[in-house]
Amino acid sequence: MADKIAVLPGDGVGKDVTEAAMKVLDAVGFKAEYTYGDIGWEFWCNEGDPLPERTIELLKNSKCALFGAITSKPKDEAAEELKPELRDKGFVYQSPIVRLRQLFNLHTNLRPCKAYPGNPLNYRDDIDLVVFRENTEGLYVGVEYYPLPQEVYDALAKYNSKMERFGKSSLEDIAVSCRIFTRAGCQNIARQGFEYAKKFGYKTVTFVEKPNVIRETSGLMIREARKIAKEYPGIEIWETNIDAQCMWLVKNPQDYGVMVATNMFGDIVSDLAAQLIGGLGFSPSGNIGDNFAVFEPTHGSAPKYEGQYKVNPIAMILTSKMMLQWLGEIEMADRIDKAIATVLKEGNVKTYDFGGTHTTMEMADAIIEKL
Ligand code: IPM
Ligand code: MG
């Protein structure tokens, strides 16, 4: 029986690129039972929830999901766009993708950045790296305070004299966001990085942290990483700091294979890595849990291009390829990959982001022709 797959185009150009990717999936011969679901800004404005309960139910009944893009805005701006009847009723905007990651424990965010020769935006043609981003912990857990409650202040001050320097500020002038790591979370992302390196023949796994300053959280990550590295002889562990790593990625991107980072640093370093191989138009990602996964391009919803079929669908098509790999459809995934490589090498069809005038669907059709 065909797998049930939820399709969530979302906002803005999410719709355009989803349409393109679905066409490619059909053309490669992939059969699934697709159900489209609601997610995004429209549902925030009209229902006070960008990730409605019915969509969560749909996901619970699906093997995995293909997700386009969503628009998200800071809390206060979001509140202003609620429809009048819903204002001041206690609705608080929360990023649906961050929520999905938590809700379904999608602990691993896999972001491959491989240069396809012929892409004029490549920094170099020999870049082939993959970012493993821990996806549910760290600064994204949502344990945040503003204003800082007196009890939280007192508890922090009791256990850490460094809080004294904030003692003169009023609690309304202090905001706190907690960076929380667990040993299990660190071990899991480290292990996934090494397993991937072993499976695909990468020689190094680079841990991107900042243990010289953020001693406890980064420290835990690095200690666990070192232990796990011992189980993988022949694969070298490299330890770097996030700031220096950004510089080195710009300088020598070809030196890196698997990179492992915790949530916030992984967010940063994956955008940087994406730009090295042509930008967000070329960068897929997978939010992967034990039994469920949500695949999404790294790019956002680019509202100003919505419905114009202007943006590059390659990131979304590569995202579908990742989904096929996860589902075990390796042959189909390889055909899509080769077709994209051929189109880029020939260089006859290009969307605006890399110097052309072709549309989203023309790019999809060019890829389909090479399948
Ligand atoms: C990403 C995005 C998200 C994140 C946003 C949209 C919440 O930047 O997937 O990298 O910060 O994780
Ligand atoms: Mg990001």
Side-chain angles (χ1 to χ4, degrees):
M1 217 176 65
D3 284 323
K4 288 189 174 145
I5 294 177
V7 183
L8 311 175
D11 297 313
V13 302
K15 298 192 180 78
D16 306 22
V17 296
T18 302
E19 190 181 325
M22 296 302 284
K23 197 170 175 189
V24 174
L25 283 170
D26 285 343
V28 81
F30 179 62
K31 299 268 180 293
E33 194 185 318
Y34 296 115
T35 310
Y36 282 73
D38 297 337
I39 196 165
W41 198 246
E42 181 189 335
F43 304 98
W44 161 251
C45 298
N46 295 324
E47 303 176 27
D49 190 355
L51 176 59
E53 210 41 57
R54 59 185 177 280
T55 304
I56 295 172
E57 277 310 306
L58 166 68
L59 295 176
K60 283 184 184 156
N61 293 310
S62 304
K63 174 93 184 165
C64 62
L66 197 53
F67 174 52
I70 36 130
T71 300
S72 62
K73 299 187 186 180
K75 211 169 98 180
D76 296 342
E77 269 174 64
E80 282 164 25
E81 291 195 33
L82 272 176
K83 73 173 179 188
E85 305 91 282
L86 297 179
R87 290 201 199 135
D88 307 314
K89 296 247 158 65
F91 292 105
V92 180
Y93 184 80
Q94 229 197 323
S95 160
I97 185 66
V98 173
R99 226 178 116 206
L100 274 180
R101 291 167 183 164
Q102 305 278 350
L103 213 56
F104 290 90
N105 190 23
L106 305 174
H107 44 67
T108 302
N109 194 325
L110 178 56
R111 297 188 153 169
C113 294
K114 183 175 84 169
Y116 289 91
N119 181 350
L121 300 179
N122 287 344
Y123 268 45
R124 302 173 52 117
D125 283 350
D126 56 356
I127 299 170
D128 177 10
L129 58 86
V130 39
V131 178
F132 274 83
R133 165 184 177 190
E134 197 293 322
N135 215 21
T136 52
E137 302 191 342
L139 280 167
Y140 279 68
V141 289
V143 178
E144 305 193 89
Y145 306 96
Y146 178 78
L148 186 62
Q150 185 70 50
E151 294 87 331
V152 178
Y153 176 88
D154 292 343
L156 290 171
K158 182 168 168 204
Y159 293 103
N160 197 319
S161 60
K162 296 201 176 78
M163 276 306 283
E164 273 166 24
R165 64 181 295 230
F166 302 109
K168 288 189 199 73
S169 315
S170 102
L171 296 173
E172 262 89 68
D173 294 327
I174 308 179
V176 173
S177 302
C178 298
R179 190 179 201 239
I180 305 178
F181 288 10
T182 65
R183 191 191 304 281
C186 295
Q187 285 175 343
N188 174 58
I189 201 70
R191 188 171 297 288
Q192 304 249 16
F194 277 105
E195 279 296 317
Y196 192 92
K198 189 170 144 188
K199 186 165 170 198
F200 294 104
Y202 289 93
K203 301 274 176 285
T204 60
V205 179
T206 304
F207 286 82
V208 188
E209 271 303 321
K210 187 87 187 178
N212 54 341
V213 181
I214 320 175
R215 289 177 304 193
E216 302 311 335
T217 43
S218 290
L220 180 65
M221 178 74 233
I222 294 298
R223 286 196 304 276
E224 295 306 319
R226 285 180 190 162
K227 282 187 224 159
I228 288 173
K230 293 207 175 76
E231 298 171 32
Y232 296 86
I235 302 174
E236 238 181 279
I237 177 172
W238 289 356
E239 296 171 21
T240 65
N241 289 332
I242 175 70
D243 52 344
Q245 185 60 60
C246 289
M247 185 184 71
W248 286 329
L249 266 182
V250 173
K251 199 167 169 217
N252 299 318
Q254 73 285 355
D255 288 354
Y256 296 91
V258 175
M259 302 179 59
V260 179
T262 46
N263 215 340
M264 184 82 246
F265 292 168
D267 182 39
I268 295 169
V269 93
S270 61
D271 270 20
L272 176 69
Q275 191 55 44
L276 301 171
I277 51 108
L280 296 171
F282 294 89
S283 304
S285 81
N287 299 278
I288 300 170
D290 291 339
N291 301 305
F292 184 65
V294 176
F295 296 89
E296 54 158 346
T298 304
H299 64 68
S301 65
K304 67 176 178 184
Y305 294 136
E306 169 167 13
Q308 293 179 26
Y309 293 95
K310 187 179 160 114
V311 299
N312 187 353
I314 289 182
M316 188 62 179
I317 295 170
L318 285 170
T319 297
S320 317
K321 178 202 117 174
M322 285 179 77
M323 179 181 80
L324 290 177
Q325 285 173 318
W326 186 78
L327 290 167
E329 299 288 357
I330 306 301
E331 187 265 341
M332 289 185 199
D334 286 348
R335 274 164 61 212
I336 292 178
D337 192 72
K338 290 209 178 74
I340 292 173
T342 308
V343 169
L344 289 170
K345 196 165 169 196
E346 291 178 357
N348 299 324
V349 180
K350 292 179 182 157
T351 44
Y352 86 97
D353 55 315
F354 61 120
T357 53
H358 291 89
T359 65
T360 306
M361 297 314 278
E362 282 167 346
M363 177 56 88
D365 289 337
I367 292 166
I368 288 169
E369 202 186 302
K370 304 292 180 192
L371 286 173

